[in-house]
């Protein structure tokens, strides 16, 4: 069963069908308006302006619960970088998840949220001295070390017994975009398994009297669709565990579980993943005669992505013989993913229908690459003032947003049971000017 199938029925009313699997749970059409979390998006756009990132709380919580219920024996660690927001971190804490952070800044959000330090893991291929000191001061449970220099630095800073995991590059190709493939050789993350660096890292951690090795960690990439890639990671990681010569209590397989972005794309097979990884882990540990470690997984995108919808207002339409450009009031400053690695999105015009024609939705920024979606069908008479909704924008949108062209970042508005409230306010010109001296 896929992640979507594991969730309870949304009970949507009958009527025109929305693209299956792309919208928050319970999203429905009320006439030509779109209703998310019980709130019409036309009202959200009028109240909070555009661009506006809408986040359905119930969907975020339901996705988190699905991971916990499907893998009750595992520690489910929310990838905090996918949606860094204190309120979202509070939701994750309430649902029983742990949290990974990759900087002192993300840790500061966790502190504000009151997230328990015993359930926080510090990640990142580069951790500055400030990152490490902040983590130690707050008492984070585990630090995932990523270089020999980091092992030495952490060893000199830590008090006795700081728990550590070693990040390993297992040499597994997850068949994803090169910019988000992290499990293959010759890239910046982790210690190579093939070269012997991973085993040397284990030895160096064990030699540090202030550190305690508790586990090994890997992450094979993002938007991973095939469970077989995780099975191969289990096989290789258990082989390393058997070679360590010390007890390894935890195995973190990372995250990267795919989310559908376009109609027809499949959701991640969470039930299949749980079954097949359990079998692979038990079998490999039996073959190598090592105790079965506790499993950790780190979903982020697969929890947050489909909970988010971004609203834009059309500012201009340019028609030529070759194509129609629909320019909106946002762009790569709130969604750089198309420019970074060719991410594709569906787009819906809110408020009316009509005969549709393919258009290219572009942003407001001074870059030819500021394209949000190409060849998407919209009503042929799309014009300035129309409201557009782009689904599957809950993960890595707020996180990657910038101030390019000194455009303020949009708000994040949480909706639930007919109530809308900002959890991140819109950035103002005063906010931008405050940093200049």
């Amino acid at each position: 069963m896929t992640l979507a199938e594991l969730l309870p029925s949304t009970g949507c009313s009958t009527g025109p069908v929305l693209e299956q699997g792309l919208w928050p749970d319970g999203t429905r059409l009320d006439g030509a308006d779109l209703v998310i979390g019980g709130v019409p998006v036309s009202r959200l756009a009028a109240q909070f302006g555009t661009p506006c990132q809408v986040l359905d709380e119930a969907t975020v919580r339901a996705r988190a619960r699905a991971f916990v219920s499907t893998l009750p024996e595992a520690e489910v660690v929310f990838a905090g970088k996918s949606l860094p927001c204190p309120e979202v971190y509070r939701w994750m804490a309430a649902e029983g998840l742990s949290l990974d952070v990759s900087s002192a800044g993300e840790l500061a959000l966790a502190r504000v949220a009151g997230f328990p330090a015993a359930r926080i893991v510090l990640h990142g291929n580069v951790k500055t001295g400030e990152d490490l000191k902040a983590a130690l001061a707050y008492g984070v449970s585990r630090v995932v070390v990523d270089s020999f220099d980091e092992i030495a630095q952490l060893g000199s800073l830590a008090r006795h017994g700081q728990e550590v995991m070693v990040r390993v590059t297992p040499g597994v190709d997850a068949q994803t975009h090169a910019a988000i493939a992290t499990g293959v050789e010759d890239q910046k993350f982790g210690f190579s398994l093939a070269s012997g660096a991973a085993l040397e890292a284990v030895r160096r951690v064990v030699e540090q009297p202030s550190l305690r090795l508790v586990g090994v960690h890997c992450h094979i990439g993002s938007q991973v669709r095939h469970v077989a890639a995780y099975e191969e990671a289990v096989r290789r990681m258990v082989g390393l565990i058997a070679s360590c010569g010390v007890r390894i209590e935890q195995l973190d397989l990372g995250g990267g579980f795919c989310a559908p972005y376009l109609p027809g794309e499949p959701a991640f097979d969470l039930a299949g993943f749980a079954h097949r990884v359990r079998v692979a882990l038990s079998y490999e540990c039996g073959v190598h005669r090592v105790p079965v470690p506790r499993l950790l997984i780190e979903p982020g995108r697969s929890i947050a992505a489909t909970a988010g919808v971004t609203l834009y207002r059309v500012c201009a339409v340019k028609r030529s013989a070759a194509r129609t450009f629909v320019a909106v009031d946002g762009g790569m400053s709130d969604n750089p993913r198309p420019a970074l690695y060719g991410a594709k999105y569906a787009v819906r015009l809110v408020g009316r229908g009509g005969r549709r024609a393919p258009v290219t939705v572009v942003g407001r920024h001074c870059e030819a690459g500021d394209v949000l979606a190409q060849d998407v069908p919209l009503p042929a008479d799309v014009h300035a003032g129309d409201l557009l909704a782009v689904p599957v924008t809950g993960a890595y949108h707020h996180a990657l947003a910038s101030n390019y062209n000194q455009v303020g970042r949009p708000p994040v508005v949480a909706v639930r049971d007919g109530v809308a409230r900002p959890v991140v306010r819109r950035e103002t010109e005063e906010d931008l000017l405050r940093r200049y001296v």
Side-chain angles (χ1 to χ4, degrees):
M1 296 178 70
T2 65
L3 179 56
E5 291 170 332
L6 289 167
L7 297 167
S9 172
T10 60
C12 293
S13 60
T14 60
V17 177
L18 290 163
E19 296 86 350
Q20 186 175 5
L22 302 188
W23 299 89
D25 299 342
T27 298
R28 59 184 175 84
L29 289 167
D30 184 4
D33 208 345
L34 192 66
V35 180
I36 302 173
V39 186
V41 299
S42 58
R43 186 200 306 169
L44 292 170
Q47 181 177 355
F48 297 102
T50 56
C52 177
Q53 295 176 351
V54 182
L55 184 68
D56 184 66
E57 178 182 348
T59 301
V60 174
R61 288 179 177 268
R63 297 294 186 276
R65 289 186 198 122
F67 275 96
V68 172
S69 63
T70 307
L71 286 154
E73 77 281 13
E75 182 177 359
V76 181
V77 186
F78 179 63
K81 65 181 179 293
S82 65
L83 184 49
C85 172
E87 183 64 8
V88 174
Y89 291 178
R90 292 185 191 102
W91 300 345
M92 295 300 96
E95 297 298 338
L97 276 67
S98 296
L99 175 70
D100 80 48
V101 298
S102 54
S103 70
E106 289 181 359
L107 181 58
L109 299 186
R111 288 200 316 268
V112 168
F115 207 100
R119 286 156 51 193
I120 297 179
V121 181
L122 177 66
H123 271 290
N125 71 296
V126 174
K127 304 177 193 67
T128 66
E130 288 71 26
D131 294 333
L132 293 174
K133 290 173 184 175
L136 294 172
Y138 193 58
V140 302
S141 62
R142 284 146 293 180
V143 176
V144 182
V145 293
D146 205 280
S147 68
F148 294 124
D149 290 318
E150 190 172 281
I151 292 172
Q153 185 178 20
L154 181 61
S156 67
L157 291 172
R159 298 173 182 173
H160 182 71
Q162 173 61 52
E163 294 186 354
V164 165
M165 304 181 79
V166 171
R167 176 155 181 172
V168 177
T169 307
V172 175
D173 186 353
Q175 301 297 313
T176 189
H177 192 283
I180 50 178
T182 57
V184 294
E185 294 290 334
D186 194 30
Q187 46 84 34
K188 70 177 187 176
F189 292 103
F191 295 95
S192 167
L193 180 60
S195 71
L199 199 57
E200 174 63 14
V202 167
R203 184 187 67 80
R204 294 199 191 184
V205 170
V206 171
E207 288 179 348
Q208 289 283 346
S210 61
L211 306 180
R212 177 174 173 259
L213 179 69
V214 296
V216 289
H217 173 287
C218 70
H219 189 287
I220 60 175
S222 295
Q223 281 298 85
V224 181
R225 302 188 181 279
H226 305 294
V227 175
Y230 292 101
E231 291 177 301
E232 180 62 18
V234 168
R235 187 183 71 80
R236 299 189 183 197
M237 295 297 285
V238 172
L240 171 64
I241 289 171
S243 303
C244 285
V246 294
R247 171 72 185 274
I248 301 296
E249 302 169 7
Q250 301 172 23
L251 170 59
D252 192 331
L253 287 181
F257 315 116
C258 71
Y261 280 80
L262 295 175
E265 289 185 347
F268 186 72
D269 183 6
L270 179 56
F273 167 85
H275 172 70
R276 290 168 62 178
V277 164
R278 282 190 191 105
V279 170
L281 185 58
S282 177
Y283 174 79
E284 294 296 333
C285 288
V287 167
H288 289 281
R289 297 182 179 180
V290 294
V292 177
R294 187 183 188 196
L295 184 67
L296 283 76
I297 56 170
E298 300 172 349
R301 182 194 314 275
S302 50
I303 286 177
T306 55
V309 175
T310 301
L311 306 179
Y312 297 103
R313 191 70 68 180
V314 175
C315 294
V317 177
K318 293 182 179 179
R319 293 181 171 89
S320 68
R323 70 172 73 188
T324 297
F325 291 99
V326 175
V328 299
D329 54 359
M332 65 189 303
S333 63
D334 60 80
N335 182 10
R337 295 184 68 252
L340 284 173
Y341 34 80
K344 299 182 185 302
Y345 291 85
V347 182
R348 173 175 286 266
L349 192 151
V350 178
R352 58 189 178 82
R355 182 180 62 84
R356 299 194 298 177
V359 305
T360 296
V361 180
V362 299
R364 61 178 293 181
H365 300 286
C366 299
E367 296 286 342
D370 183 20
V371 176
L372 292 173
Q374 298 188 54
D375 298 323
V376 292
L378 291 181
D381 62 346
V382 58
H383 54 74
D386 278 337
L387 181 64
L388 303 185
V390 181
V392 203
T393 60
Y396 297 104
H397 283 244
H398 171 64
L400 288 171
S402 74
N403 294 127
Y404 186 45
N405 291 151
Q406 294 303 288
V407 172
R409 288 171 289 188
V412 179
V413 179
V415 292
R416 183 172 185 176
D417 298 331
V419 177
R421 59 190 179 90
V423 294
V424 180
R425 65 170 174 79
R426 183 178 300 281
E427 198 166 32
T428 65
E429 290 183 1
E430 288 74 18
D431 293 323
L432 297 177
L433 293 171
R434 192 170 291 122
R435 295 181 60 231
Y436 291 95
V437 296

